[in-house]
Amino acid sequence: MNPFRSPDTDLPLSHALILKAALLTIGYIEENGPIGLTPTKALKRYFVAWAAEAFDWPAYTVEDLYAVNKVLNEHDFPPLVILHEVLLSAKLARHFKGTLRLTDLARKLRSEPARLWMLLTTHLLFVVDHSPYTRSDEPLFGNWDIFLNVINIEAQAAVTEERLCSVLYGGEEEEIRHRDFKLTASLYVHVLRPLCWAGLLNEHRTGTGLNRRDFYTKTPLWTAALRLETDRHLQPVTRH
């Protein structure tokens, strides 16, 4: 499936965290040269520290990260781990002689943010394997055609993980909330988090601890960038 509209039109990209991080990384390499890699091919600490501050990623701010880490390695900053993988997968960067270097494609697309966003998002959603970041060995059943079209309807106002799991897999929302943590966590890591990082969904958190609830709403980028079968079923949102 290709759910994207043409990238030739202007897109409201301000919510796209993955695009902001990629542009900052491309700019860093252009200005400072290739980024050093550790023997395990992780980005070296000096860049991780720079990225944590420059990206200013929600829920992964410098304060958040240093609250639990004395020094920052790449695996301590999950958005950077995923970005690194996306850049390699999309052939925007490559490893060479112990460094991460830009490709000609990255330099070309730096001035074409809509096309760069589409390439990044395609790999973030449809190519990169998010399984290593879950605590479950069980696969998440479904595909992106189903996920996007269901979310298109359910997140027209606001929707919770439990509601989406109920629609996709059956069961009562309260039962899912209190018992099926693996399912909601898997849906978050495989589907909802990538959509948020791509700038297509907003995540709203209320409460703390066991009383915390997460709600998801579509950003303006969702409507501008996606063309889905369920669009014809959407009803205007009534706001009070």
Side-chain angles (χ1 to χ4, degrees):
M1 63 171 291
N2 179 9
F4 295 116
R5 300 180 188 274
S6 170
D8 295 329
T9 57
D10 290 335
L11 294 176
L13 296 168
S14 61
H15 293 277
L17 297 171
I18 193 77
L19 175 64
K20 174 187 174 183
L23 286 171
L24 286 168
T25 301
I26 292 170
Y28 180 97
I29 297 175
E30 290 274 59
E31 183 175 343
N32 299 284
I35 300 167
L37 300 173
T38 69
T40 59
K41 296 187 177 180
L43 298 168
K44 285 193 172 181
R45 287 176 179 171
Y46 71 85
F47 180 76
V48 180
W50 178 87
E53 184 171 353
F55 291 1
D56 193 26
W57 203 286
Y60 294 98
T61 63
V62 170
E63 293 75 14
D64 296 327
L65 293 170
Y66 281 111
V68 293
N69 302 284
K70 289 185 178 180
V71 295
L72 294 180
N73 296 298
E74 184 180 330
H75 68 261
D76 299 318
F77 188 15
L80 183 58
V81 176
I82 297 293
L83 175 66
H84 188 176
E85 189 170 352
V86 168
L87 290 174
L88 293 174
S89 174
K91 300 189 185 312
L92 293 163
R94 63 190 180 101
H95 291 169
F96 183 73
K97 293 186 177 181
T99 62
L100 181 74
R101 302 186 178 212
L102 297 179
T103 64
D104 290 340
L105 178 62
R107 295 186 178 91
K108 175 185 176 183
L109 293 184
R110 185 182 184 187
S111 61
E112 301 181 55
R115 290 182 179 276
L116 178 58
W117 173 82
M118 186 170 294
L119 180 60
L120 292 165
T121 300
T122 297
H123 284 260
L124 176 64
L125 300 186
F126 309 138
V127 181
V128 168
D129 180 12
H130 296 273
S131 299
Y133 311 107
T134 68
R135 297 182 179 179
S136 174
D137 295 330
E138 298 178 7
L140 182 69
F141 293 104
N143 58 58
W144 277 104
D145 187 29
I146 294 171
F147 296 142
L148 290 174
N149 277 286
V150 168
I151 293 171
N152 195 35
I153 296 293
E154 296 296 327
Q156 182 69 347
V159 68
T160 63
E161 296 168 359
E162 295 81 13
R163 168 63 182 173
L164 288 173
C165 286
S166 176
V167 172
L168 288 165
Y169 305 109
E172 297 295 326
E173 292 177 48
E174 281 302 309
E175 188 75 8
I176 292 170
R177 182 184 178 197
H178 292 294
R179 295 182 182 275
D180 214 338
F181 302 111
K182 286 186 178 180
L183 178 59
T184 54
S186 187
L187 183 70
Y188 177 76
V189 170
H190 284 281
V191 178
L192 296 173
R193 187 172 74 174
L195 288 171
C196 289
W197 288 4
L200 293 164
L201 288 181
N202 272 328
E203 181 179 8
H204 312 270
R205 293 183 175 180
T206 62
T208 59
L210 295 176
N211 293 320
R212 196 184 100 180
R213 301 296 302 277
D214 296 341
F215 296 86
Y216 299 88
T217 58
K218 295 184 285 188
T219 69
L221 182 55
W222 179 288
T223 302
L226 296 177
R227 179 180 58 249
L228 300 166
E229 292 179 13
T230 49
D231 286 342
R232 66 182 187 274
H233 300 301
L234 295 178
Q235 298 296 323
V237 177
T238 302
R239 302 192 184 278
H240 300 283

